[in-house]
């Protein structure tokens, strides 16, 4: 596994790649500041994240690999279908996957276990009443990401 720490408007991010796939993006300084591992995929991921944060990119084009249960992978796949600048509730995601909205807590748990935030946009999932709800990176990061995509939302 190769990692690179990058700075962003929501704090430090550590991008993890292995075997030509992005495997994780972690909040905080999981690698030493200035870590500049040489890897074309890390370069591509850093560029695309930079473009996203400056409003020049609305979709990511990166090869991804996530370890998780079949259910988690279904949820993560559905997250990638939420368009830039839009949101969905946990119940919406459950319905889109063919489940009853009552399974929304399980959707929330899978959402919280997403190892590749931002690229797999778990920040776009909100409460049924439109409120900000839990986010592994903290609600302030979630708010910042949503405001980036929808200025004036909050």
């Amino acid at each position: 596994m190769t990692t690179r720490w990058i700075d962003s408007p929501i704090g430090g991010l550590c991008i993890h790649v292995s075997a030509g796939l992005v495997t994780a993006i972690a909040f905080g300084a999981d690698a030493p500041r200035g870590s500049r591992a040489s890897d074309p995929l890390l370069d591509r991921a850093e560029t695309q994240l930079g473009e996203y944060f400056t409003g020049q990119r609305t979709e990511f084009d990166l090869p991804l690999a996530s370890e998780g249960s079949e259910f988690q992978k279904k949820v993560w796949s559905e997250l990638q279908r939420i368009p830039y600048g839009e949101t969905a509730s946990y119940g919406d995601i459950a319905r889109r996957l063919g489940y009853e909205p009552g399974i929304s807590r399980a959707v929330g748990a899978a959402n919280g276990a997403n190892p590749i935030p931002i690229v797999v946009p778990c920040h776009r999932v909100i409460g049924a009443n439109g409120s900000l709800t839990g986010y592994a990176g903290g609600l302030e990061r979630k708010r910042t990401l949503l405001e980036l995509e929808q200025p004036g939302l909050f």
Side-chain angles (χ1 to χ4, degrees), residues 97-119:
L97 292 171
Y99 298 106
E100 294 296 319
I103 200 167
S104 61
R105 285 183 189 235
V107 169
N111 195 54
N114 170 23
I116 311 174
I118 305 165
V119 174

Side-chain angles (χ1 to χ4, degrees), residues 27-48:
F27 297 109
D30 293 301
R33 288 186 179 266
S35 174
R36 300 294 308 169
S38 178
D39 183 287
L41 182 54
L42 284 171
D43 295 342
R44 195 167 139 204
E46 181 177 3
T47 296
Q48 288 190 21

Side-chain angles (χ1 to χ4, degrees), residues 10 22-27 48-49 52 57-67 71-84 86 93 107 110-125 135-137 142 145-146 149:
I10 59 169
V22 176
T23 59
I25 297 175
F27 297 109
Q48 288 190 21
L49 284 163
Y52 169 81
R57 176 172 291 276
T58 60
E59 293 181 13
F60 292 92
D61 177 25
L62 298 168
L64 307 177
S66 303
E67 292 293 322
F71 179 76
Q72 287 173 323
K73 289 178 182 181
K74 283 182 183 180
V75 170
W76 300 335
S77 179
E78 190 60 36
L79 296 177
Q80 292 181 284
R81 292 184 179 94
I82 304 171
Y84 179 92
E86 294 184 23
I93 299 299
V107 169
N111 195 54
N114 170 23
I116 311 174
I118 305 165
V119 174
V120 177
C122 51
H123 62 278
R124 294 180 188 153
V125 183
Y135 185 63
K142 183 173 190 165
L145 292 168
L146 290 172
E149 295 183 14

Side-chain angles (χ1 to χ4, degrees), residues 12-25:
L13 299 173
C14 189
I15 307 165
H16 301 260
V17 301
S18 181
L21 301 166
V22 176
T23 59
I25 297 175

